[in-house]
Amino acid sequence: MTNTLASRGLIKLEITRALRNRKFLFFSVVYPVLLFVIVSNTQGGVPDSRLSLSAYMMVSMASFGALTAVLMGNSERIAKERESGWVRQLRLTPLPGRGYVLAKTASAAVVSLPSILVVFAVAALFKGVRFAAWQWLALSGAIWAGSLCFAALGVAIGYLASGDTVRPITMIVYFGLSLLGGLWMPATTFPQWLQSVASWLPTHAYAALGQAIELGGAPHAKDVILLAAYFLLFAGGAAWLYRKDTLKA
Amino acid sequence: MDHMTAVTFTEVTKSYGDVRAVDGLTLDLRPGETVALLGPNGAGKSTALDLLLGLRHPDSGTVRVFGTSPREAITAGRVGAMLQSGGLMGEVTVGELVRLACDLHPRPRRVGDVLSQAGIAQIADRKVDKLSGGQEQRVRFALATAGANDLIVLDEPTTGMDVTARQAFWATMREQADQGRAVLFATHYLEEADAIADRVLVLHRGRLLADGTAAEIKARAGARKVAFDLAEMDEAVTGRLRQLPFLTALDVSGHTVRLQSADADATVHALYGLGLYPHNLEVAGLGLEQAFVAITEAEEAKTR
């Protein structure tokens, strides 16, 4: 219990630090909004969907922004701080080991919420996207909660990669998942074989949560289960890599 | 709980592959002691400190800190440590980082006190990424002293500091020791061990080679150098010189004799007893550095 209290100090400082980092804020908050404005300028709907392109891309870009915040926020910092010895220094304090990962994820989540809400605000104010109040709430909640899956992936990459390799690895994973998962353009525009690959990616399931809510329903069981399975896989991998790193000292 | 010892190593062994970094190490540290850990590179100093702090686990043997496991002692806020390999968090100020260390400690000291004692109050607003090597060391020291620890562990704390900074650092360190805290520090600077430590441990190939006060270590290596000239010098005289009591080393060149003695008074007294009349007699203390070299060289010779 005292350790949970102790973690608060680190969480507070990690959040201060994340909000101070302009480059990080730009990529996770401003960048998705810019992309949304550019992409949604095209008129018309999405093939095989009853949603307008603006509504569809709003969910995609909110998901993309949250993904950026949690994935980048965790992976690069963890890898760099392992290398600099800060993680080792923290192990000489009463902070429990998982407190570090918790603080990283919490600060990433604090940044990911504005990246979701800002895209929503721009969509509602300038692109005429309209939903019922419960839908806005459900969308925010689902996209925010779903980002946990990628936070775990970020932790895993942070413990897998070295300080030099973490950026390229993160970028490949990040762009690969964003593009193939259909966050940048509807996956329905892909050739059939690519569509079937995409439908199994965590980012595809992630965006599908929001799209189901936009259509007025609950998220599909397949998407929820898929995302939960990926979460368990990433979190299990992260825990295993974390333990391995601890034994190495 | 055992209050009698701060740290107990019992038959501790740790290997990396074929290399035995720590080999059957047994030692006790008492509360309130200032102890220097000496040893050549690769002697196992860093590994011993890692084991003491629970960063590594022994292959066999046990490490207890204040009667508990190292991790429990750290969680209870009894141990503060400053490691060479310990990095600092970037993108925050010195003040914020020290405040974090105080927040994390179950028995924290006041942030202002920690900053001023470590001599970094005037750079509290500076970003951690923009510090000099010596300033970084002071910040690490502040992190190690953020709470009311009973034991402070320092791995080569003055590396990267100039002489003035080093002296200031040890003055601060003495304040900590004077408050009844045990201090264990590994160092390359033997004069630091000589000047500061109550007790010196010499580690060599993962084993404890010597354990005592700096004076005792020096005595063990042949604490004093004696030099003099003899007017008459031949085989018989050299033979008689070899009989001198407490002699640990003898070097005769021409008419000049240089020897090392564990008890210079007794040796010089015996010199006259042999009927020899030395001129230009000089008796000088052997530095800890020479004592250290003598002890480790003797050990190297044994293992060869």
Side-chain angles (χ1 to χ4, degrees), chain A residues 86 89, chain B residues 81-83 86-89 92-99 101 114-115 117-121 123-124 126-146 157 161 169:
Chain A
W86 171 241
Q89 183 71 42
Chain B
M82 167 175 173
L83 295 182
L88 300 173
M89 188 193 224
V92 296
T93 65
V94 168
E96 285 171 329
L97 193 59
V98 172
R99 177 171 300 281
V114 176
L115 286 169
Q117 205 195 25
I120 49 174
I123 55 165
R126 198 171 298 175
K127 282 278 169 64
V128 166
D129 324 59
K130 301 212 161 78
L131 300 178
S132 72
Q135 288 170 329
E136 265 186 40
Q137 286 292 81
R138 285 165 169 276
V139 172
R140 285 198 187 97
F141 177 71
L143 298 183
T145 54
M161 290 187 191
F169 177 85

mmCIF file of all heavy atoms in Angstrom, chain A residues 86 89, chain B residues 81-83 86-89 92-99 101 114-115 117-121 123-124 126-146 157 161 169:
data_model
loop_
_atom_site.group_PDB
_atom_site.id
_atom_site.type_symbol
_atom_site.label_atom_id
_atom_site.label_comp_id
_atom_site.label_asym_id
_atom_site.label_seq_id
_atom_site.Cartn_x
_atom_site.Cartn_y
_atom_site.Cartn_z
ATOM 1 N N TRP A 86 18.893 4.542 -15.495
ATOM 2 C CA TRP A 86 17.865 5.129 -14.621
ATOM 3 C C TRP A 86 16.971 4.034 -14.029
ATOM 4 O O TRP A 86 16.597 4.091 -12.861
ATOM 5 C CB TRP A 86 17.034 6.155 -15.397
ATOM 6 C CG TRP A 86 15.822 6.650 -14.650
ATOM 7 C CD1 TRP A 86 14.526 6.515 -15.027
ATOM 8 C CD2 TRP A 86 15.802 7.354 -13.390
ATOM 9 N NE1 TRP A 86 13.697 7.085 -14.087
ATOM 10 C CE2 TRP A 86 14.448 7.598 -13.070
ATOM 11 C CE3 TRP A 86 16.791 7.772 -12.496
ATOM 12 C CZ2 TRP A 86 14.068 8.259 -11.903
ATOM 13 C CZ3 TRP A 86 16.403 8.429 -11.331
ATOM 14 C CH2 TRP A 86 15.063 8.658 -11.052
ATOM 15 N N GLN A 89 18.821 2.634 -11.212
ATOM 16 C CA GLN A 89 18.791 3.563 -10.088
ATOM 17 C C GLN A 89 17.453 3.449 -9.334
ATOM 18 O O GLN A 89 17.417 3.444 -8.112
ATOM 19 C CB GLN A 89 18.991 4.997 -10.605
ATOM 20 C CG GLN A 89 19.043 6.069 -9.530
ATOM 21 C CD GLN A 89 20.322 6.002 -8.711
ATOM 22 O OE1 GLN A 89 21.399 5.801 -9.252
ATOM 23 N NE2 GLN A 89 20.199 6.146 -7.410
ATOM 24 N N ALA B 81 21.827 4.190 -2.005
ATOM 25 C CA ALA B 81 22.994 3.779 -2.771
ATOM 26 C C ALA B 81 23.227 4.679 -3.965
ATOM 27 O O ALA B 81 22.304 5.249 -4.538
ATOM 28 C CB ALA B 81 22.827 2.336 -3.237
ATOM 29 N N MET B 82 24.486 4.792 -4.301
ATOM 30 C CA MET B 82 24.910 5.597 -5.434
ATOM 31 C C MET B 82 25.831 4.707 -6.254
ATOM 32 O O MET B 82 26.902 4.324 -5.788
ATOM 33 C CB MET B 82 25.658 6.791 -4.863
ATOM 34 C CG MET B 82 26.443 7.600 -5.826
ATOM 35 S SD MET B 82 27.113 9.022 -4.906
ATOM 36 C CE MET B 82 28.153 9.699 -6.161
ATOM 37 N N LEU B 83 25.367 4.321 -7.438
ATOM 38 C CA LEU B 83 26.161 3.420 -8.268
ATOM 39 C C LEU B 83 26.715 4.170 -9.453
ATOM 40 O O LEU B 83 26.124 5.127 -9.933
ATOM 41 C CB LEU B 83 25.290 2.270 -8.773
ATOM 42 C CG LEU B 83 24.746 1.322 -7.716
ATOM 43 C CD1 LEU B 83 23.950 0.225 -8.374
ATOM 44 C CD2 LEU B 83 25.872 0.750 -6.895
ATOM 45 N N GLY B 86 24.322 3.907 -12.242
ATOM 46 C CA GLY B 86 22.986 4.466 -12.052
ATOM 47 C C GLY B 86 22.807 5.729 -12.872
ATOM 48 O O GLY B 86 23.548 6.679 -12.721
ATOM 49 N N GLY B 87 21.814 5.727 -13.754
ATOM 50 C CA GLY B 87 21.561 6.895 -14.590
ATOM 51 C C GLY B 87 20.584 7.830 -13.914
ATOM 52 O O GLY B 87 20.072 7.543 -12.842
ATOM 53 N N LEU B 88 20.330 8.957 -14.573
ATOM 54 C CA LEU B 88 19.369 9.910 -14.044
ATOM 55 C C LEU B 88 18.237 10.073 -15.044
ATOM 56 O O LEU B 88 18.405 9.856 -16.233
ATOM 57 C CB LEU B 88 20.049 11.257 -13.810
ATOM 58 C CG LEU B 88 21.226 11.232 -12.823
ATOM 59 C CD1 LEU B 88 21.926 12.579 -12.795
ATOM 60 C CD2 LEU B 88 20.760 10.849 -11.430
ATOM 61 N N MET B 89 17.071 10.462 -14.530
ATOM 62 C CA MET B 89 15.920 10.702 -15.402
ATOM 63 C C MET B 89 16.173 12.003 -16.166
ATOM 64 O O MET B 89 16.600 12.987 -15.564
ATOM 65 C CB MET B 89 14.699 10.844 -14.505
ATOM 66 C CG MET B 89 13.381 10.919 -15.221
ATOM 67 S SD MET B 89 12.128 11.455 -14.016
ATOM 68 C CE MET B 89 10.806 10.349 -14.392
ATOM 69 N N VAL B 92 13.910 16.559 -16.667
ATOM 70 C CA VAL B 92 13.342 17.129 -15.440
ATOM 71 C C VAL B 92 14.444 17.949 -14.769
ATOM 72 O O VAL B 92 15.607 17.834 -15.127
ATOM 73 C CB VAL B 92 12.833 16.038 -14.462
ATOM 74 C CG1 VAL B 92 11.685 15.265 -15.064
ATOM 75 C CG2 VAL B 92 13.951 15.105 -14.049
ATOM 76 N N THR B 93 14.072 18.786 -13.798
ATOM 77 C CA THR B 93 15.088 19.582 -13.125
ATOM 78 C C THR B 93 15.685 18.786 -11.963
ATOM 79 O O THR B 93 15.100 17.799 -11.506
ATOM 80 C CB THR B 93 14.504 20.891 -12.558
ATOM 81 O OG1 THR B 93 13.573 20.558 -11.535
ATOM 82 C CG2 THR B 93 13.808 21.707 -13.640
ATOM 83 N N VAL B 94 16.831 19.251 -11.505
ATOM 84 C CA VAL B 94 17.511 18.614 -10.377
ATOM 85 C C VAL B 94 16.571 18.583 -9.166
ATOM 86 O O VAL B 94 16.438 17.563 -8.494
ATOM 87 C CB VAL B 94 18.808 19.400 -10.045
ATOM 88 C CG1 VAL B 94 19.386 18.966 -8.715
ATOM 89 C CG2 VAL B 94 19.821 19.226 -11.167
ATOM 90 N N GLY B 95 15.880 19.703 -8.925
ATOM 91 C CA GLY B 95 14.963 19.795 -7.787
ATOM 92 C C GLY B 95 13.836 18.784 -7.881
ATOM 93 O O GLY B 95 13.483 18.123 -6.895
ATOM 94 N N GLU B 96 13.271 18.636 -9.092
ATOM 95 C CA GLU B 96 12.160 17.688 -9.281
ATOM 96 C C GLU B 96 12.618 16.258 -9.036
ATOM 97 O O GLU B 96 11.898 15.450 -8.450
ATOM 98 C CB GLU B 96 11.605 17.800 -10.705
ATOM 99 C CG GLU B 96 10.757 19.032 -10.937
ATOM 100 C CD GLU B 96 10.403 19.246 -12.408
ATOM 101 O OE1 GLU B 96 11.206 18.875 -13.291
ATOM 102 O OE2 GLU B 96 9.333 19.805 -12.667
ATOM 103 N N LEU B 97 13.836 15.965 -9.490
ATOM 104 C CA LEU B 97 14.352 14.602 -9.341
ATOM 105 C C LEU B 97 14.604 14.282 -7.864
ATOM 106 O O LEU B 97 14.258 13.187 -7.399
ATOM 107 C CB LEU B 97 15.645 14.453 -10.150
ATOM 108 C CG LEU B 97 16.135 13.030 -10.344
ATOM 109 C CD1 LEU B 97 15.090 12.199 -11.054
ATOM 110 C CD2 LEU B 97 17.434 13.027 -11.143
ATOM 111 N N VAL B 98 15.160 15.237 -7.136
ATOM 112 C CA VAL B 98 15.419 15.016 -5.711
ATOM 113 C C VAL B 98 14.091 14.906 -4.952
ATOM 114 O O VAL B 98 13.949 14.082 -4.053
ATOM 115 C CB VAL B 98 16.328 16.133 -5.144
ATOM 116 C CG1 VAL B 98 16.438 16.031 -3.628
ATOM 117 C CG2 VAL B 98 17.710 16.056 -5.783
ATOM 118 N N ARG B 99 13.119 15.721 -5.359
ATOM 119 C CA ARG B 99 11.800 15.627 -4.720
ATOM 120 C C ARG B 99 11.206 14.228 -4.936
ATOM 121 O O ARG B 99 10.632 13.634 -4.019
ATOM 122 C CB ARG B 99 10.849 16.686 -5.302
ATOM 123 C CG ARG B 99 9.425 16.623 -4.741
ATOM 124 C CD ARG B 99 8.597 17.809 -5.177
ATOM 125 N NE ARG B 99 9.169 19.065 -4.734
ATOM 126 C CZ ARG B 99 9.039 19.544 -3.486
ATOM 127 N NH1 ARG B 99 8.353 18.862 -2.590
ATOM 128 N NH2 ARG B 99 9.590 20.683 -3.155
ATOM 129 N N ALA B 101 12.878 11.430 -5.319
ATOM 130 C CA ALA B 101 13.583 10.494 -4.437
ATOM 131 C C ALA B 101 13.041 10.599 -3.016
ATOM 132 O O ALA B 101 12.886 9.593 -2.320
ATOM 133 C CB ALA B 101 15.086 10.780 -4.476
ATOM 134 N N VAL B 114 18.297 18.069 1.644
ATOM 135 C CA VAL B 114 19.030 17.128 0.798
ATOM 136 C C VAL B 114 19.820 17.896 -0.264
ATOM 137 O O VAL B 114 21.002 17.641 -0.492
ATOM 138 C CB VAL B 114 18.068 16.122 0.128
ATOM 139 C CG1 VAL B 114 18.824 15.199 -0.821
ATOM 140 C CG2 VAL B 114 17.326 15.311 1.175
ATOM 141 N N LEU B 115 19.138 18.876 -0.892
ATOM 142 C CA LEU B 115 19.782 19.671 -1.941
ATOM 143 C C LEU B 115 20.981 20.434 -1.392
ATOM 144 O O LEU B 115 22.059 20.417 -1.986
ATOM 145 C CB LEU B 115 18.782 20.666 -2.540
ATOM 146 C CG LEU B 115 17.713 20.093 -3.476
ATOM 147 C CD1 LEU B 115 16.655 21.140 -3.768
ATOM 148 C CD2 LEU B 115 18.354 19.620 -4.777
ATOM 149 N N GLN B 117 22.705 19.927 1.376
ATOM 150 C CA GLN B 117 23.792 19.092 1.882
ATOM 151 C C GLN B 117 24.626 18.499 0.739
ATOM 152 O O GLN B 117 25.826 18.319 0.865
ATOM 153 C CB GLN B 117 23.253 17.975 2.767
ATOM 154 C CG GLN B 117 24.331 17.523 3.738
ATOM 155 C CD GLN B 117 24.013 16.209 4.389
ATOM 156 O OE1 GLN B 117 23.266 15.401 3.856
ATOM 157 N NE2 GLN B 117 24.590 15.997 5.548
ATOM 158 N N ALA B 118 23.956 18.203 -0.370
ATOM 159 C CA ALA B 118 24.693 17.653 -1.511
ATOM 160 C C ALA B 118 25.377 18.753 -2.311
ATOM 161 O O ALA B 118 26.061 18.482 -3.291
ATOM 162 C CB ALA B 118 23.754 16.851 -2.401
ATOM 163 N N GLY B 119 25.145 20.014 -1.900
ATOM 164 C CA GLY B 119 25.775 21.135 -2.593
ATOM 165 C C GLY B 119 25.196 21.407 -3.964
ATOM 166 O O GLY B 119 25.897 21.836 -4.879
ATOM 167 N N ILE B 120 23.891 21.152 -4.131
ATOM 168 C CA ILE B 120 23.283 21.378 -5.451
ATOM 169 C C ILE B 120 22.064 22.291 -5.350
ATOM 170 O O ILE B 120 21.284 22.384 -6.287
ATOM 171 C CB ILE B 120 22.887 20.047 -6.138
ATOM 172 C CG1 ILE B 120 22.093 19.159 -5.181
ATOM 173 C CG2 ILE B 120 24.107 19.324 -6.668
ATOM 174 C CD1 ILE B 120 21.553 17.897 -5.813
ATOM 175 N N ALA B 121 21.921 22.987 -4.195
ATOM 176 C CA ALA B 121 20.767 23.880 -4.027
ATOM 177 C C ALA B 121 20.753 24.958 -5.115
ATOM 178 O O ALA B 121 19.690 25.321 -5.623
ATOM 179 C CB ALA B 121 20.793 24.517 -2.643
ATOM 180 N N ILE B 123 21.735 24.749 -8.133
ATOM 181 C CA ILE B 123 21.431 24.273 -9.491
ATOM 182 C C ILE B 123 20.118 23.494 -9.512
ATOM 183 O O ILE B 123 19.852 22.719 -10.430
ATOM 184 C CB ILE B 123 22.577 23.417 -10.090
ATOM 185 C CG1 ILE B 123 22.920 22.247 -9.169
ATOM 186 C CG2 ILE B 123 23.784 24.249 -10.403
ATOM 187 C CD1 ILE B 123 23.759 21.176 -9.845
ATOM 188 N N ALA B 124 19.261 23.731 -8.481
ATOM 189 C CA ALA B 124 18.012 22.966 -8.375
ATOM 190 C C ALA B 124 17.089 23.172 -9.574
ATOM 191 O O ALA B 124 16.315 22.276 -9.923
ATOM 192 C CB ALA B 124 17.284 23.352 -7.090
ATOM 193 N N ARG B 126 18.105 23.657 -12.653
ATOM 194 C CA ARG B 126 18.742 23.266 -13.910
ATOM 195 C C ARG B 126 18.233 21.898 -14.364
ATOM 196 O O ARG B 126 17.928 21.033 -13.562
ATOM 197 C CB ARG B 126 20.258 23.227 -13.724
ATOM 198 C CG ARG B 126 20.982 23.270 -15.050
ATOM 199 C CD ARG B 126 22.464 23.447 -14.886
ATOM 200 N NE ARG B 126 22.829 24.702 -14.231
ATOM 201 C CZ ARG B 126 24.086 25.005 -13.905
ATOM 202 N NH1 ARG B 126 25.069 24.177 -14.173
ATOM 203 N NH2 ARG B 126 24.360 26.149 -13.311
ATOM 204 N N LYS B 127 18.166 21.721 -15.696
ATOM 205 C CA LYS B 127 17.756 20.429 -16.241
ATOM 206 C C LYS B 127 18.856 19.394 -15.995
ATOM 207 O O LYS B 127 20.045 19.700 -16.144
ATOM 208 C CB LYS B 127 17.513 20.558 -17.752
ATOM 209 C CG LYS B 127 16.183 21.214 -18.101
ATOM 210 C CD LYS B 127 15.038 20.214 -18.034
ATOM 211 C CE LYS B 127 13.668 20.861 -18.112
ATOM 212 N NZ LYS B 127 13.409 21.523 -19.378
ATOM 213 N N VAL B 128 18.440 18.214 -15.641
ATOM 214 C CA VAL B 128 19.375 17.132 -15.324
ATOM 215 C C VAL B 128 20.295 16.828 -16.522
ATOM 216 O O VAL B 128 21.464 16.501 -16.352
ATOM 217 C CB VAL B 128 18.585 15.867 -14.915
ATOM 218 C CG1 VAL B 128 19.468 14.640 -14.910
ATOM 219 C CG2 VAL B 128 17.956 16.071 -13.542
ATOM 220 N N ASP B 129 19.757 16.998 -17.748
ATOM 221 C CA ASP B 129 20.528 16.681 -18.954
ATOM 222 C C ASP B 129 21.695 17.653 -19.170
ATOM 223 O O ASP B 129 22.543 17.408 -20.002
ATOM 224 C CB ASP B 129 19.634 16.740 -20.197
ATOM 225 C CG ASP B 129 18.237 16.244 -19.934
ATOM 226 O OD1 ASP B 129 17.549 16.825 -19.062
ATOM 227 O OD2 ASP B 129 17.822 15.295 -20.585
ATOM 228 N N LYS B 130 21.702 18.797 -18.430
ATOM 229 C CA LYS B 130 22.708 19.825 -18.698
ATOM 230 C C LYS B 130 23.731 19.938 -17.573
ATOM 231 O O LYS B 130 24.221 21.020 -17.295
ATOM 232 C CB LYS B 130 22.010 21.181 -18.886
ATOM 233 C CG LYS B 130 20.998 21.165 -20.027
ATOM 234 C CD LYS B 130 20.891 22.503 -20.708
ATOM 235 C CE LYS B 130 20.266 22.363 -22.085
ATOM 236 N NZ LYS B 130 18.820 22.204 -22.043
ATOM 237 N N LEU B 131 24.061 18.838 -16.930
ATOM 238 C CA LEU B 131 24.980 18.896 -15.800
ATOM 239 C C LEU B 131 26.373 18.412 -16.192
ATOM 240 O O LEU B 131 26.527 17.619 -17.109
ATOM 241 C CB LEU B 131 24.465 18.017 -14.656
ATOM 242 C CG LEU B 131 23.098 18.374 -14.070
ATOM 243 C CD1 LEU B 131 22.724 17.383 -12.990
ATOM 244 C CD2 LEU B 131 23.090 19.790 -13.523
ATOM 245 N N SER B 132 27.385 18.893 -15.461
ATOM 246 C CA SER B 132 28.742 18.375 -15.655
ATOM 247 C C SER B 132 28.856 17.040 -14.921
ATOM 248 O O SER B 132 27.996 16.691 -14.106
ATOM 249 C CB SER B 132 29.755 19.369 -15.089
ATOM 250 O OG SER B 132 29.707 19.339 -13.676
ATOM 251 N N GLY B 133 29.932 16.315 -15.194
ATOM 252 C CA GLY B 133 30.125 15.006 -14.551
ATOM 253 C C GLY B 133 30.113 15.091 -13.029
ATOM 254 O O GLY B 133 29.470 14.297 -12.354
ATOM 255 N N GLY B 134 30.805 16.095 -12.495
ATOM 256 C CA GLY B 134 30.871 16.258 -11.048
ATOM 257 C C GLY B 134 29.509 16.599 -10.454
ATOM 258 O O GLY B 134 29.135 16.097 -9.393
ATOM 259 N N GLN B 135 28.743 17.442 -11.172
ATOM 260 C CA GLN B 135 27.404 17.804 -10.694
ATOM 261 C C GLN B 135 26.483 16.596 -10.712
ATOM 262 O O GLN B 135 25.690 16.388 -9.801
ATOM 263 C CB GLN B 135 26.815 18.917 -11.571
ATOM 264 C CG GLN B 135 27.480 20.262 -11.335
ATOM 265 C CD GLN B 135 27.071 21.296 -12.359
ATOM 266 O OE1 GLN B 135 26.782 20.963 -13.513
ATOM 267 N NE2 GLN B 135 27.065 22.553 -11.964
ATOM 268 N N GLU B 136 26.616 15.785 -11.766
ATOM 269 C CA GLU B 136 25.813 14.558 -11.828
ATOM 270 C C GLU B 136 26.082 13.667 -10.627
ATOM 271 O O GLU B 136 25.160 13.092 -10.049
ATOM 272 C CB GLU B 136 26.151 13.768 -13.104
ATOM 273 C CG GLU B 136 25.214 14.057 -14.248
ATOM 274 C CD GLU B 136 25.508 13.152 -15.428
ATOM 275 O OE1 GLU B 136 25.799 11.951 -15.223
ATOM 276 O OE2 GLU B 136 25.453 13.658 -16.565
ATOM 277 N N GLN B 137 27.361 13.549 -10.245
ATOM 278 C CA GLN B 137 27.720 12.726 -9.099
ATOM 279 C C GLN B 137 27.052 13.266 -7.839
ATOM 280 O O GLN B 137 26.575 12.507 -7.002
ATOM 281 C CB GLN B 137 29.243 12.713 -8.898
ATOM 282 C CG GLN B 137 29.979 11.874 -9.917
ATOM 283 C CD GLN B 137 29.693 10.392 -9.761
ATOM 284 O OE1 GLN B 137 28.674 9.909 -10.232
ATOM 285 N NE2 GLN B 137 30.572 9.678 -9.102
ATOM 286 N N ARG B 138 26.986 14.595 -7.710
ATOM 287 C CA ARG B 138 26.351 15.184 -6.537
ATOM 288 C C ARG B 138 24.854 14.907 -6.523
ATOM 289 O O ARG B 138 24.262 14.683 -5.467
ATOM 290 C CB ARG B 138 26.574 16.700 -6.527
ATOM 291 C CG ARG B 138 27.976 17.023 -6.120
ATOM 292 C CD ARG B 138 28.336 18.446 -6.450
ATOM 293 N NE ARG B 138 29.591 18.729 -5.779
ATOM 294 C CZ ARG B 138 29.666 19.105 -4.524
ATOM 295 N NH1 ARG B 138 28.580 19.295 -3.810
ATOM 296 N NH2 ARG B 138 30.832 19.314 -3.958
ATOM 297 N N VAL B 139 24.243 14.913 -7.706
ATOM 298 C CA VAL B 139 22.809 14.600 -7.770
ATOM 299 C C VAL B 139 22.593 13.145 -7.368
ATOM 300 O O VAL B 139 21.680 12.829 -6.601
ATOM 301 C CB VAL B 139 22.251 14.869 -9.188
ATOM 302 C CG1 VAL B 139 20.815 14.368 -9.305
ATOM 303 C CG2 VAL B 139 22.316 16.355 -9.512
ATOM 304 N N ARG B 140 23.475 12.252 -7.844
ATOM 305 C CA ARG B 140 23.361 10.851 -7.445
ATOM 306 C C ARG B 140 23.500 10.705 -5.933
ATOM 307 O O ARG B 140 22.799 9.930 -5.309
ATOM 308 C CB ARG B 140 24.465 10.017 -8.107
ATOM 309 C CG ARG B 140 24.189 9.773 -9.548
ATOM 310 C CD ARG B 140 25.028 8.600 -10.050
ATOM 311 N NE ARG B 140 24.840 8.537 -11.475
ATOM 312 C CZ ARG B 140 25.675 9.077 -12.347
ATOM 313 N NH1 ARG B 140 26.777 9.649 -11.939
ATOM 314 N NH2 ARG B 140 25.418 9.024 -13.621
ATOM 315 N N PHE B 141 24.430 11.490 -5.386
ATOM 316 C CA PHE B 141 24.621 11.448 -3.940
ATOM 317 C C PHE B 141 23.348 11.923 -3.229
ATOM 318 O O PHE B 141 22.914 11.326 -2.243
ATOM 319 C CB PHE B 141 25.812 12.322 -3.549
ATOM 320 C CG PHE B 141 26.042 12.394 -2.073
ATOM 321 C CD1 PHE B 141 26.531 11.292 -1.391
ATOM 322 C CD2 PHE B 141 25.748 13.546 -1.360
ATOM 323 C CE1 PHE B 141 26.728 11.344 -0.020
ATOM 324 C CE2 PHE B 141 25.940 13.603 0.004
ATOM 325 C CZ PHE B 141 26.431 12.503 0.676
ATOM 326 N N ALA B 142 22.733 12.968 -3.763
ATOM 327 C CA ALA B 142 21.486 13.471 -3.175
ATOM 328 C C ALA B 142 20.409 12.382 -3.206
ATOM 329 O O ALA B 142 19.677 12.187 -2.235
ATOM 330 C CB ALA B 142 21.012 14.711 -3.935
ATOM 331 N N LEU B 143 20.333 11.634 -4.314
ATOM 332 C CA LEU B 143 19.333 10.564 -4.412
ATOM 333 C C LEU B 143 19.609 9.484 -3.361
ATOM 334 O O LEU B 143 18.678 8.910 -2.803
ATOM 335 C CB LEU B 143 19.349 9.933 -5.815
ATOM 336 C CG LEU B 143 19.008 10.859 -6.990
ATOM 337 C CD1 LEU B 143 18.992 10.074 -8.292
ATOM 338 C CD2 LEU B 143 17.679 11.552 -6.776
ATOM 339 N N ALA B 144 20.895 9.244 -3.098
ATOM 340 C CA ALA B 144 21.254 8.199 -2.134
ATOM 341 C C ALA B 144 20.994 8.633 -0.698
ATOM 342 O O ALA B 144 20.908 7.806 0.200
ATOM 343 C CB ALA B 144 22.726 7.818 -2.299
ATOM 344 N N THR B 145 20.855 9.953 -0.481
ATOM 345 C CA THR B 145 20.687 10.445 0.887
ATOM 346 C C THR B 145 19.336 11.140 1.066
ATOM 347 O O THR B 145 19.179 11.983 1.936
ATOM 348 C CB THR B 145 21.827 11.423 1.259
ATOM 349 O OG1 THR B 145 21.873 12.461 0.270
ATOM 350 C CG2 THR B 145 23.160 10.729 1.309
ATOM 351 N N ALA B 146 18.364 10.781 0.217
ATOM 352 C CA ALA B 146 17.053 11.441 0.261
ATOM 353 C C ALA B 146 16.250 11.063 1.509
ATOM 354 O O ALA B 146 15.291 11.733 1.845
ATOM 355 C CB ALA B 146 16.253 11.102 -0.991
ATOM 356 N N PRO B 157 32.467 6.987 -5.673
ATOM 357 C CA PRO B 157 31.632 8.193 -5.720
ATOM 358 C C PRO B 157 32.337 9.427 -6.268
ATOM 359 O O PRO B 157 31.675 10.318 -6.767
ATOM 360 C CB PRO B 157 31.248 8.408 -4.251
ATOM 361 C CG PRO B 157 32.306 7.719 -3.468
ATOM 362 C CD PRO B 157 32.718 6.542 -4.295
ATOM 363 N N MET B 161 35.388 13.864 -10.356
ATOM 364 C CA MET B 161 35.445 15.113 -9.590
ATOM 365 C C MET B 161 36.882 15.590 -9.527
ATOM 366 O O MET B 161 37.814 14.788 -9.461
ATOM 367 C CB MET B 161 34.966 14.883 -8.153
ATOM 368 C CG MET B 161 33.493 14.618 -8.026
ATOM 369 S SD MET B 161 33.053 14.570 -6.271
ATOM 370 C CE MET B 161 31.387 13.924 -6.382
ATOM 371 N N PHE B 169 33.128 16.709 -1.186
ATOM 372 C CA PHE B 169 32.270 15.529 -1.152
ATOM 373 C C PHE B 169 32.500 14.721 0.121
ATOM 374 O O PHE B 169 31.558 14.319 0.799
ATOM 375 C CB PHE B 169 32.532 14.652 -2.380
ATOM 376 C CG PHE B 169 31.738 13.387 -2.364
ATOM 377 C CD1 PHE B 169 30.444 13.368 -2.832
ATOM 378 C CD2 PHE B 169 32.280 12.214 -1.856
ATOM 379 C CE1 PHE B 169 29.703 12.209 -2.794
ATOM 380 C CE2 PHE B 169 31.547 11.050 -1.812
ATOM 381 C CZ PHE B 169 30.257 11.044 -2.284
#
